């Protein structure tokens, strides 16, 4: 097997690691900055403009995963270690043998057998080469099965990931937790339902999955800035009693729901009982500081240990500064469990917090 060594990126590090890093479009520079602040040094080469980069760090893969586990990044949507790289021509000339050798070397290099495990197969490329991607994906699935593993579409125990760029195939082996997602590239997809109120529902669905929540376990939720009701509709589906507040109109399909109380008003004008809710959600297109202040003003209505989920709009040119300032506001009242730019976020992030 013809390996590319060293990886095609300038390096002066005696010891380090390489990574395919994916962000939401336009936010890869902030993912780079997050890593630069954590690891001190970073070298990067863009593979897909504004979205995917090949990055090099001066620490090994285990140290990177340790740091990412203790303090997950906000803007890295999907993280693939580059454990091996093979010339794409080697795959085209002898695909089956090359993939078998690649898997053997991957398992050896990271001391991670996939035998008897459920394995996700993720194949992506930097160019529109779906036919090549599909062909390689099918061949890799067969190779995984030859190693005694079963191919898993959902909930894999390990992921074998290949990224194709400029004649090279970059390969990595990791867990879904290390990757940050069990979807290729973190591109999580939900099926749009007939009669769905809005696509905003997908943001809350993704938050539930990403943060390991189960909304069915809550009893009473407050949805601030609820109209037209995308988030409210999901919470109602989970069997929760929902109080929705918004001066704008809710979708007609929700109005008569027996578990919905709707106030066509500003949230600050509604009288709420102390400790009335165990879940507060807010997805408003307001200034992030104004939104934070509004949420803080309503926290008396949330029980101690209650969950708070808020989107923070990144309306200015300094998103890291905006996030820091908003987090500082919330930290006086809430424990911030996770800050993450989800796939269904656009110019915003989602905060997952708990009332102290």
């Amino acid at each position: 097997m013809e390996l590319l060594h060293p990886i095609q990126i300038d390096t002066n590090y005696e010891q380090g690691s390489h990574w395919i890093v994916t962000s939401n479009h336009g936010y890869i520079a902030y993912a780079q900055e997050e890593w630069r602040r954590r690891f001190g040094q970073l070298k990067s080469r863009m593979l897909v403009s504004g979205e995917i980069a090949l990055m090099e760090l001066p620490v090994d893969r285990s140290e990177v995963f340790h740091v990412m586990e203790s303090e997950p990044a906000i803007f890295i949507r999907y993280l693939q270690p580059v454990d091996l790289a093979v010339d794409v021509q080697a795959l085209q000339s002898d695909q089956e043998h090359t993939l078998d050798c690649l898997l053997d070397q991957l398992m050896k290099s990271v001391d991670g057998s996939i035998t008897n495990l459920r394995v996700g197969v993720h194949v992506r490329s930097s160019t529109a080469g779906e036919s090549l991607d599909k062909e390689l994906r099918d061949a890799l699935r067969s190779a995984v099965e030859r190693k005694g593993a079963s191919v898993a579409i959902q909930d894999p125990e390990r992921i074998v990931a290949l990224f194709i760029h400029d004649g090279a195939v970059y390969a990595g082996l990791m867990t879904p937790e290390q990757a940050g997602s069990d979807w290729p590239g973190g591109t999580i997809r939900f099926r749009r339902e007939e009669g769905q109120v809005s696509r905003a529902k997908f943001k809350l669905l993704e938050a539930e999955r990403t943060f390991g929540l189960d909304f069915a376990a809550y009893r009473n939720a407050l949805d601030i800035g609820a109209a037209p009701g995308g988030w409210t509709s999901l919470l109602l589906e989970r069997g929760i009693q929902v109080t929705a507040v918004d001066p704008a109109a809710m979708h007609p399909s929700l109005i008569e729901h027996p578990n919905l109380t709707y106030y066509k008003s500003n949230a600050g004008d509604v009288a709420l009982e102390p400790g009335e809710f165990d879940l507060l959600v807010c997805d408003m297109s307001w200034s992030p500081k104004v939104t934070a202040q509004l949420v803080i003003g309503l926290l008396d209505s949330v029980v101690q240990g209650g969950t708070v989920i808020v989107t923070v709009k990144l309306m200015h040119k300094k998103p890291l500064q905006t996030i820091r300032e908003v987090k500082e506001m919330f930290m006086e009242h809430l424990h911030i469990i996770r800050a993450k730019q989800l796939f269904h976020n656009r110019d915003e992030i989602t905060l997952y917090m708990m009332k102290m």
Side-chain angles (χ1 to χ4, degrees), residues 121-143:
V121 172
H122 294 181
V123 178
R124 300 182 295 148
S125 65
S126 59
T127 57
E130 182 57 34
S131 59
L132 175 60
D133 292 359
K134 185 179 185 306
E135 176 188 343
L136 185 52
R137 188 183 305 115
D138 291 344
L140 182 57
R141 286 173 175 168
S142 297

